[in-house]
Amino acid sequence: MSTESKEHVLSRLDSVWPAFKSLIDDVPESELETPGVVDAWSIKELLGHVIFWADKAAHDVRASAAGKTDEIALPGGDANVDKWNAEAAARGKAISNAEVIAAVAKAHEDARTAVAESPESALAPELSGWTVGVRFAEDTYRHYEEHSEQIKVWMRQLETSEA
């Protein structure tokens, strides 16, 4: 099973995050609670979701580095992922615009720090067919890329509906 190297993960985080953060910053504050970014989610709900997964990625790398992979929660199926996502979206919606923007940046930085401070070996353990490094990539920079595209589509739709 292949994994993501520490150097690759840090490089990808550093290359993908600025574009994602810039995109978020370009969303007018008046639109942060407008639904429809991903299904019925607003930007705030989407960011709550991103925060959850980046925080989970940081936790998982730290647990792996400490030799405690048994402390890494695995989704166990779509129903559980849907539950986690719904709870995370609700948390994003419940906090202020400034808080959600700050929290997503903090979650990203914490995930980056977790990798930077961990040995390369922390990314290697395999859990249910995925290494910790691959899980980390999916929960952070690949996640940012996925949602960046959705935000761009949504913003274009807003522009055309306001024209």
Side-chain angles (χ1 to χ4, degrees), residues 49-60:
H49 160 83
V50 170
I51 292 162
F52 170 83
W53 289 103
D55 283 346
K56 182 174 181 347
H59 169 272
D60 294 354

Side-chain angles (χ1 to χ4, degrees), residues 24-34 43-44 96-101 154:
I24 293 165
D25 290 343
D26 286 346
V27 176
E29 186 167 1
S30 62
E31 299 292 351
L32 290 174
E33 296 187 47
T34 301
I43 290 288
K44 285 180 64 178
S96 74
N97 293 348
E99 288 170 321
V100 78
I101 300 294
W154 175 76

Side-chain angles (χ1 to χ4, degrees), residues 5-110:
S5 73
K6 180 175 173 174
E7 178 183 355
H8 176 79
V9 166
L10 292 173
S11 173
R12 294 286 288 140
L13 282 170
D14 292 344
S15 68
V16 173
W17 172 254
F20 182 67
K21 179 68 169 102
S22 177
L23 189 59
I24 293 165
D25 290 343
D26 286 346
V27 176
E29 186 167 1
S30 62
E31 299 292 351
L32 290 174
E33 296 187 47
T34 301
V37 181
V38 176
D39 299 325
W41 283 356
S42 68
I43 290 288
K44 285 180 64 178
E45 290 162 304
L46 175 64
L47 293 180
H49 160 83
V50 170
I51 292 162
F52 170 83
W53 289 103
D55 283 346
K56 182 174 181 347
H59 169 272
D60 294 354
V61 168
R62 288 187 176 111
S64 180
K68 299 178 179 180
T69 56
D70 58 316
E71 293 181 9
I72 297 174
L74 299 175
D78 289 343
N80 205 33
V81 170
D82 291 346
K83 178 179 179 250
W84 288 354
N85 286 339
E87 291 169 354
R91 284 190 298 274
K93 184 177 183 174
I95 60 178
S96 74
N97 293 348
E99 288 170 321
V100 78
I101 300 294
V104 76
K106 181 184 179 300
H108 164 75
E109 285 303 319
D110 190 43

